[in-house]
Short mmCIF file of all heavy atoms in Angstrom, two decimals:
data_model
loop_
_atom_site.label_atom_id
_atom_site.label_comp_id
_atom_site.label_asym_id
_atom_site.label_seq_id
_atom_site.Cartn_x
_atom_site.Cartn_y
_atom_site.Cartn_z
N PHE A 10 44.78 -108.90 107.11
CA PHE A 10 43.42 -108.38 107.26
C PHE A 10 43.24 -107.90 108.69
O PHE A 10 43.86 -108.45 109.61
CB PHE A 10 42.39 -109.47 106.92
CG PHE A 10 42.47 -110.68 107.82
CD1 PHE A 10 41.63 -110.80 108.91
CD2 PHE A 10 43.39 -111.69 107.58
CE1 PHE A 10 41.69 -111.91 109.76
CE2 PHE A 10 43.47 -112.80 108.43
CZ PHE A 10 42.62 -112.91 109.50
N ARG A 17 38.42 -115.60 119.30
CA ARG A 17 38.34 -117.02 119.64
C ARG A 17 39.41 -117.46 120.63
O ARG A 17 39.24 -118.45 121.33
CB ARG A 17 38.42 -117.87 118.37
CG ARG A 17 37.25 -117.61 117.41
CD ARG A 17 37.39 -118.40 116.11
NE ARG A 17 37.53 -119.81 116.36
CZ ARG A 17 38.33 -120.63 115.66
NH1 ARG A 17 39.08 -120.16 114.68
NH2 ARG A 17 38.39 -121.91 115.95
N THR A 20 44.42 -113.23 124.05
CA THR A 20 45.64 -112.51 123.65
C THR A 20 46.76 -112.66 124.68
O THR A 20 47.91 -112.39 124.37
CB THR A 20 45.35 -111.00 123.51
OG1 THR A 20 44.88 -110.49 124.76
CG2 THR A 20 44.33 -110.73 122.42
N ARG A 38 30.83 -111.32 127.93
CA ARG A 38 32.15 -110.91 127.47
C ARG A 38 32.90 -112.14 126.99
O ARG A 38 32.59 -113.27 127.39
CB ARG A 38 32.96 -110.26 128.59
CG ARG A 38 32.26 -109.18 129.37
CD ARG A 38 32.12 -107.89 128.58
NE ARG A 38 31.49 -106.86 129.39
CZ ARG A 38 31.18 -105.65 128.95
NH1 ARG A 38 31.43 -105.30 127.69
NH2 ARG A 38 30.59 -104.77 129.73
N VAL A 47 39.65 -110.80 130.71
CA VAL A 47 38.36 -110.45 130.12
C VAL A 47 38.65 -109.52 128.93
O VAL A 47 39.30 -108.49 129.07
CB VAL A 47 37.46 -109.73 131.14
CG1 VAL A 47 36.09 -109.44 130.51
CG2 VAL A 47 37.29 -110.59 132.40
N ASN A 54 36.94 -94.50 117.37
CA ASN A 54 36.76 -93.14 116.90
C ASN A 54 37.39 -92.93 115.53
O ASN A 54 38.50 -93.42 115.28
CB ASN A 54 37.38 -92.15 117.89
CG ASN A 54 36.64 -92.13 119.21
OD1 ASN A 54 35.45 -92.40 119.25
ND2 ASN A 54 37.34 -91.82 120.28
N GLU A 88 44.44 -93.12 116.60
CA GLU A 88 45.45 -94.06 117.08
C GLU A 88 45.71 -93.86 118.58
O GLU A 88 45.44 -92.79 119.13
CB GLU A 88 46.78 -93.84 116.33
CG GLU A 88 46.70 -94.08 114.84
CD GLU A 88 46.88 -95.54 114.45
OE1 GLU A 88 46.95 -96.41 115.35
OE2 GLU A 88 46.94 -95.81 113.23
N THR A 93 42.20 -86.40 119.45
CA THR A 93 41.38 -86.37 118.24
C THR A 93 41.93 -85.33 117.25
O THR A 93 41.94 -85.58 116.04
CB THR A 93 39.92 -86.05 118.57
OG1 THR A 93 39.85 -84.84 119.35
CG2 THR A 93 39.26 -87.19 119.34
N ASP A 119 27.58 -89.79 116.38
CA ASP A 119 27.47 -91.18 116.81
C ASP A 119 27.00 -92.05 115.66
O ASP A 119 26.02 -91.72 114.98
CB ASP A 119 26.45 -91.27 117.96
CG ASP A 119 27.08 -90.96 119.31
OD1 ASP A 119 27.79 -91.85 119.81
OD2 ASP A 119 26.87 -89.85 119.82
N PHE B 10 40.50 -110.26 135.18
CA PHE B 10 41.14 -108.94 135.02
C PHE B 10 40.94 -108.50 133.57
O PHE B 10 40.89 -109.35 132.66
CB PHE B 10 42.63 -109.01 135.37
CG PHE B 10 43.42 -109.95 134.51
CD1 PHE B 10 44.14 -109.47 133.42
CD2 PHE B 10 43.44 -111.31 134.77
CE1 PHE B 10 44.86 -110.34 132.62
CE2 PHE B 10 44.16 -112.19 133.97
CZ PHE B 10 44.88 -111.71 132.88
N ARG B 17 49.82 -110.98 123.11
CA ARG B 17 50.88 -111.95 122.81
C ARG B 17 50.40 -113.02 121.83
O ARG B 17 51.22 -113.65 121.17
CB ARG B 17 51.38 -112.59 124.10
CG ARG B 17 52.05 -111.56 125.04
CD ARG B 17 52.45 -112.19 126.36
NE ARG B 17 53.33 -113.33 126.14
CZ ARG B 17 53.34 -114.44 126.89
NH1 ARG B 17 52.48 -114.57 127.89
NH2 ARG B 17 54.16 -115.44 126.63
N THR B 20 43.90 -113.52 118.34
CA THR B 20 42.52 -113.82 118.74
C THR B 20 41.82 -114.74 117.74
O THR B 20 40.78 -115.31 118.05
CB THR B 20 41.68 -112.53 118.84
OG1 THR B 20 41.71 -111.87 117.56
CG2 THR B 20 42.22 -111.59 119.91
N ARG B 38 52.44 -102.81 114.29
CA ARG B 38 51.19 -103.41 114.77
C ARG B 38 51.50 -104.81 115.29
O ARG B 38 52.51 -105.42 114.92
CB ARG B 38 50.18 -103.54 113.63
CG ARG B 38 49.93 -102.30 112.83
CD ARG B 38 49.14 -101.25 113.60
NE ARG B 38 48.88 -100.08 112.75
CZ ARG B 38 48.26 -98.99 113.18
NH1 ARG B 38 47.85 -98.88 114.43
NH2 ARG B 38 48.08 -97.96 112.38
N VAL B 47 45.72 -108.61 111.59
CA VAL B 47 46.41 -107.45 112.17
C VAL B 47 45.56 -106.95 113.33
O VAL B 47 44.37 -106.64 113.16
CB VAL B 47 46.60 -106.33 111.13
CG1 VAL B 47 47.37 -105.17 111.74
CG2 VAL B 47 47.32 -106.87 109.90
N ASN B 54 36.30 -94.66 124.57
CA ASN B 54 35.47 -93.54 125.00
C ASN B 54 34.86 -93.80 126.37
O ASN B 54 34.40 -94.92 126.64
CB ASN B 54 34.36 -93.28 124.00
CG ASN B 54 34.90 -92.78 122.67
OD1 ASN B 54 35.96 -92.14 122.62
ND2 ASN B 54 34.19 -93.06 121.59
N GLU B 88 29.94 -98.84 125.35
CA GLU B 88 29.85 -100.23 124.90
C GLU B 88 29.54 -100.30 123.40
O GLU B 88 29.01 -99.35 122.82
CB GLU B 88 28.72 -100.96 125.66
CG GLU B 88 28.93 -101.05 127.16
CD GLU B 88 29.80 -102.24 127.58
OE1 GLU B 88 30.33 -102.94 126.71
OE2 GLU B 88 29.93 -102.45 128.80
N THR B 93 26.92 -92.50 122.35
CA THR B 93 27.49 -91.89 123.56
C THR B 93 26.36 -91.51 124.52
O THR B 93 26.51 -91.66 125.74
CB THR B 93 28.32 -90.65 123.20
OG1 THR B 93 27.54 -89.77 122.37
CG2 THR B 93 29.59 -91.04 122.46
N ASP B 119 39.79 -84.78 125.35
CA ASP B 119 40.84 -85.71 124.94
C ASP B 119 41.76 -85.99 126.12
O ASP B 119 42.24 -85.06 126.77
CB ASP B 119 41.64 -85.10 123.79
CG ASP B 119 41.00 -85.34 122.44
OD1 ASP B 119 41.10 -86.48 121.96
OD2 ASP B 119 40.38 -84.40 121.89
#
Side-chain angles (χ1 to χ4, degrees):
Chain A
F10 62 96
R17 298 176 56 218
T20 59
R38 310 287 182 183
V47 183
N54 293 332
E88 298 275 7
T93 53
D119 276 284
Chain B
F10 61 97
R17 297 176 57 215
T20 58
R38 309 288 182 183
V47 182
N54 293 332
E88 298 275 6
T93 52
D119 276 284

